[in-house]
Amino acid sequence: MKLTLKIWRQRNAADKGRMASYELDDVSPDMSFLEMLDVLNERLIIEGDDPVAFDHDCREGICGMCSLVIDGTAHGPQRATTTCQLHMRHFKDGDVITIEPWRASAFPVIKDLVVDRSAFDRIIQAGGYVSAPTGSAPEAASIPIPQADAHDAFDAATCIGCGACVAACPNASAMLFTAAKITHLGLMPQGQPERYGRVTAMVDQMDAEGFGGCTNTGECTSVCPKGIPLETISRLNADLLKATAKG
Amino acid sequence: MSWTYQKIGHMFRNVSSVSRSTPVAAPRRPQAPSTAALPRRLYRSSVGKKAVMAVTGGILVLFLVGHMLGNLKVFLGRADFDHYAHWLRTIGEPALPHRVFLTIMEAVLTVAVILHMWSAVSLARRARQARPVRYAVRPKAQEHRYATHVMRYGGIIILLFVIWHLLDLTFGVVNPKSGGAEPYDKVVADFDPSRWYITVFYVIAVVMVGLHLKHGLWSAFQTLGWGRQRRYRGLHLFADVVAALLVIGFVAVPVMVTIGVVK
């Protein structure tokens, strides 16, 4: 496959950045998207150029490190798939592919396609702790949990914190991410003691980081590689409003 | 058994292949927990502002339903329509003085409109600041819904329409009849066939209101915490049906006057 790549190049956070064009001649449809970028980088290194910086780690779709807005869609054209699990067979010979970093003021570009997502870590930190006994594992059936709640909590807990929701949101809102954490802990008996303090602190931190507000467009959930459902956001809203009413 | 605290944060990343010498924005601290009164606590967060929008929007929708039902009285004839318009001023009499109920309603609606717009402007500004650098390739709308896309601009168009509408049929400034004329005469004169462009303008504005509600209505439920996967179909259906009925009900009057059914 012959491809033209238009890639965002930016030396550092202070650099203005620009789009650069690259031609790749010998792309196999069996390559993953990141392997395709590896091939480009090897060539750039041999030619004495600066390789394109992009985030990646497990390449198994579970760590949340990879990102990339591919032709305007976070994590590319295949639904419920991270960029690392996206394969070149979803593209055609002669395609022009535009690759950009997540765009949000709360996710400043560090270099090229790498953004600083530590705002998410600070939202998690603001959530604090859950009061849970540590030490030896408790008897499994000692805390009964309704099956439906367990399923919903588990669905929310699959969030890998990649930030695609922010990238896709027209408001650059971090609501789906924050809501996944709130839902995951709020549905569990272990999450109850700090439930309302947690939602207030996490939403405060989310707002302080400069993310936009949610307008219920649903763009986040459609690009989410883990398919975190939109109802998590409504659960967060319910908890936050209850916490606000309580004071 | 000893209870210790278990950190829930375990998502530490390392940024591979990039040196961390580049300056990274210092962590932004949220404001200290507020002990302020409920309205201030609510207005502090982006979620609270959305809740204000949802509740004020709900008040405005209820008004629209009443307004539409009142409008339809035009089909019962001049006497019924004018009688209804006068009755609005006498609700609650003799317990309430003349026009007091209507004045309270006007005040509530004005406050609702102001709060609704204030929240919208504040959230729109926040969104603008949240994405200073735009995408080169416009993000493809995965969930593309035209109604969702036009909420902000549609809101501005609706505001301009409401101003015109008040100048037209409430104050009579831009109406062929004076402000003191009977309501039925004002409506018939306004949408006279020779003034077809006014009818077109009204129809476009009402369709904008319908689109605004198609997204706004279900979105209000989502914002207030009632959105669940199993309810989304029902909520969307409810929003679509209410929006469609309001559009049909509101469009009926000017169109029927223009084509001469109501004279």
Side-chain angles (χ1 to χ4, degrees):
Chain A
M1 280 164 76
K2 254 181 96 127
L3 293 175
T4 305
L5 303 174
K6 290 189 170 169
I7 302 177
W8 181 258
R9 301 303 309 262
Q10 183 174 342
R11 269 193 291 279
N12 52 47
D15 184 19
K16 256 197 81 171
R18 71 207 154 79
M19 297 297 290
S21 204
Y22 302 93
E23 306 281 334
L24 268 186
D25 285 339
D26 214 11
V27 177
S28 153
D30 296 327
M31 284 177 179
S32 78
F33 200 85
L34 297 186
E35 283 166 347
M36 183 269 296
L37 289 178
D38 291 337
V39 170
L40 171 70
N41 276 347
E42 278 170 16
R43 196 187 84 196
L44 291 178
I45 291 166
I46 290 168
E47 290 171 355
D49 280 344
D50 196 18
V52 178
F54 60 89
D55 264 331
H56 61 97
D57 193 7
C58 74
R59 300 205 178 195
E60 291 179 337
I62 54 169
C63 78
M65 274 307 282
C66 65
S67 57
L68 308 184
V69 171
I70 302 163
D71 287 337
T73 305
H75 287 303
Q78 199 178 7
R79 282 211 170 199
T81 306
T82 54
T83 295
C84 65
Q85 293 286 293
L86 175 68
H87 285 76
M88 297 315 292
R89 54 179 168 268
H90 296 288
F91 297 88
K92 296 192 306 290
D93 186 43
D95 273 358
V96 179
I97 304 173
T98 308
I99 309 170
E100 297 174 82
W102 289 170
R103 294 284 189 206
S105 63
F107 286 165
V109 172
I110 296 171
K111 186 180 180 182
D112 296 337
L113 303 169
V114 177
V115 298
D116 179 3
R117 284 171 285 188
S118 51
F120 270 11
D121 296 338
R122 290 190 291 275
I123 293 175
I124 293 284
Q125 283 164 10
Y129 50 79
V130 289
S131 301
T134 55
S136 60
E139 160 61 36
S142 61
I143 308 174
I145 300 171
Q147 188 69 8
D149 288 354
H151 278 296
D152 287 346
F154 194 79
D155 282 349
T158 57
C159 168
I160 53 176
C162 65
C165 43
V166 175
C169 176
N171 309 305
S173 172
M175 277 288 270
L176 193 69
F177 166 78
T178 310
K181 307 303 166 193
I182 291 296
T183 300
H184 154 203
L185 295 167
L187 282 169
M188 294 282 103
Q190 294 91 336
Q192 297 312 307
E194 298 83 14
R195 183 170 175 182
Y196 295 102
R198 176 168 54 241
V199 69
T200 309
M202 288 179 83
V203 169
D204 275 356
Q205 185 67 40
M206 180 185 84
D207 284 345
E209 295 290 347
F211 291 106
C214 174
T215 50
N216 303 326
T217 64
E219 293 294 326
C220 49
T221 184
S222 63
V223 299
C224 176
K226 299 295 152 186
I228 303 294
L230 203 59
E231 73 167 35
T232 56
I233 292 180
S234 204
R235 289 185 189 274
L236 177 148
N237 291 336
D239 278 8
L240 184 89
L241 294 175
K242 245 178 245 169
T244 307
K246 285 180 173 181
Chain B
M1 183 184 290
S2 74
W3 290 69
T4 53
Y5 298 136
Q6 194 181 353
K7 278 271 184 194
I8 60 165
H10 47 67
M11 302 199 344
F12 299 103
R13 318 161 177 289
N14 42 348
V15 179
S16 53
S17 77
V18 173
S19 92
R20 271 297 201 140
S21 59
T22 44
V24 169
R28 280 164 275 201
R29 294 252 143 235
Q31 307 152 41
S34 172
T35 50
L38 178 68
R40 287 201 55 184
R41 286 205 310 273
L42 200 59
Y43 225 72
R44 235 157 59 96
S45 75
S46 56
V47 176
K49 281 178 187 152
K50 283 283 292 179
V52 171
M53 276 178 94
V55 171
T56 52
I59 293 171
L60 296 171
V61 171
L62 289 178
F63 162 73
L64 284 183
V65 171
H67 185 3
M68 183 200 72
L69 293 175
N71 286 4
L72 294 178
K73 290 216 178 266
V74 93
F75 295 112
L76 299 179
R78 174 189 294 273
D80 272 36
F81 189 67
D82 287 347
H83 179 242
Y84 165 76
H86 286 290
W87 169 76
L88 287 177
R89 283 149 185 79
T90 62
I91 299 173
E93 283 185 21
L96 288 174
H98 187 66
R99 217 187 178 287
V100 164
F101 180 84
L102 195 62
T103 308
I104 291 171
M105 214 166 83
E106 284 165 352
V108 169
L109 291 175
T110 308
V111 170
V113 168
I114 289 170
L115 288 177
H116 196 77
M117 280 169 35
W118 186 7
S119 308
V121 169
S122 158
L123 287 167
R125 270 199 183 149
R126 167 175 273 278
R128 191 164 285 243
Q129 287 161 4
R131 177 158 299 135
V133 182
R134 309 210 155 250
Y135 289 105
V137 176
R138 213 186 140 88
K140 280 177 204 150
Q142 305 290 318
E143 294 291 316
H144 197 80
R145 295 193 182 102
Y146 185 70
T148 311
H149 184 67
V150 296
M151 286 305 277
R152 284 178 189 144
Y153 297 108
I156 294 169
I157 293 172
I158 293 166
L159 173 69
L160 294 176
F161 165 72
V162 167
I163 292 170
W164 173 271
H165 183 51
L166 289 175
L167 290 174
D168 183 3
L169 288 162
T170 305
F171 302 113
V173 178
V174 293
N175 192 280
K177 301 275 175 182
S178 74
E182 287 297 317
Y184 191 89
D185 289 333
K186 281 200 276 192
V187 169
V188 171
D190 202 19
F191 304 114
D192 187 82
S194 65
R195 285 163 58 90
W196 57 271
Y197 47 91
I198 296 288
T199 305
V200 170
F201 171 52
Y202 267 72
V203 168
I204 292 171
V206 167
V207 169
M208 287 312 298
V209 172
L211 285 173
H212 204 73
L213 296 189
K214 182 179 159 60
H215 176 75
L217 260 176
W218 89 265
S219 181
F221 287 103
Q222 167 85 354
T223 298
L224 293 176
W226 293 317
R228 292 292 178 275
Q229 261 359 79
R230 64 177 184 281
R231 294 188 200 138
Y232 283 144
R233 271 186 66 172
L235 286 177
H236 278 292
L237 187 71
F238 171 73
D240 293 355
V241 167
V242 171
L245 287 178
L246 281 172
V247 169
I248 293 167
F250 275 119
V251 160
V253 177
V255 168
M256 289 305 170
V257 173
T258 304
I259 64 174
V261 174
V262 175
K263 337 185 194 203

